[in-house]
Amino acid sequence: MDNSTQSFHSGFVAMVGRPNVGKSTLINRLVGEKVSIVSPKPQTTRNRILGIVSDESSQIVFVDTPGIHRPRTKLGEYMEKTVQDSVQGIDILCVLIDAARPRPEDHDILPGFEGLKLPKFLLLNKTDLVSPKDLLPIIASFADAGFDMVLPISARSGEGIDTLMSEIRRSLPQGPKYYPDELWTDQNERQMIAEIIREKALLNLRDEVPHGIGVEVLGVKEVREGLTEIHADLYCERASHKTIIVGRRGEMLKSIGSQARADIEALLDAQVNLQLWVKVRPGWMDNNSDLKSLGYWEN
Ligand SMILES: Nc1nc2c(ncn2[C@@H]2O[C@H](COP(=O)(O)OP(=O)(O)OP(=O)(O)O)[C@@H](O)[C@H]2O)c(=O)[nH]1
Ligand SMILES: [Mg+2]
């Protein structure tokens, strides 16, 4: 083994926490790429998603996870299991809380990962919304919780991000390069396209509709150089939801589609013809074969 291999540090760093605290926003900020979709709605992330940062001496693999909540459907159970599976074999655990909206349940997160013997960081996110003096009682309330470090950060403004990166680098064990340098996520093209479409649905739709949406990308075909045709189904739970998703004279679906197309074009660096179809699949969130076809099964 040569010296460079011996001094290489690497590891998996999982972000866990309640829904909507900013786990995905933070990973996007740390990686500097859009790894994971973000929305103001809770339960945006449904799968384990990796974001990778590599340099000459280290590789950090960030693990995005679904928000921890009480599951009510098989999809919810899958998300809960995903969180538990995602922390197996990790090297550093980061628990995020929303410092602008501290909740008693924030204290229930770490005990759920009791067995893990590794560095544990508490990240108080969204400090751009909080005055420093309001952070003090939150920090004090975690004094005996068993964290190795408590750090106020803002995934949005960037506050505390450099400190977080250097603390992570300091705590990384020696290890191999797990992924090639140029890779910044483990998702394939189809998964990223499906997630972009779901993000635009989450951003455009209100109330309970977005939570019942699933996206299946049926085809991605380069019809000629620089033009890609994409077909995707949007699943929803009820006929009434379909009416809302399509919107008056198709306006809602059109705006979801055109926003998604812009992001997909940037991703593929090609013009995109995006065909979206809305399908009603009652109970898909509790149906094993629907969940499988949407990729919500067996990580
Ligand atoms: N003001 C502010 N907003 C933030 C910050 N970080 C995230 N947000 C916002 O919080 C909302 C939720 O962010 P996400 O990154 O989707 O949160 P998450 O924890 O991944 O949520 P789930 O995937 O649902 O568990 C979005 O509207 C973000 O823009 C921050 O540092 N400051
Ligand atoms: Mg998320």
Side-chain angles (χ1 to χ4, degrees), residues 19-20 22-25 36-39 41 43-46 64-67:
N20 219 37
K23 302 176 291 296
S24 303
T25 309
S36 207
I37 63 166
V38 165
S39 90
K41 313 234 166 36
Q43 296 169 42
T44 297
T45 306
R46 290 174 174 168
D64 196 8
T65 66

Side-chain angles (χ1 to χ4, degrees), residues 205-221:
L205 295 161
R206 295 222 176 110
D207 304 327
E208 87 278 25
V209 181
H211 289 298
I213 284 183
V215 179
E216 184 174 17
V217 175
L218 301 166
V220 180
K221 196 167 125 201

Side-chain angles (χ1 to χ4, degrees), residues 240-255:
S240 61
H241 290 179
K242 177 171 173 174
T243 312
I244 297 169
I245 296 165
V246 173
R248 261 170 54 137
R249 292 195 222 102
E251 291 296 334
M252 175 58 83
L253 191 61
K254 219 182 279 171
S255 93

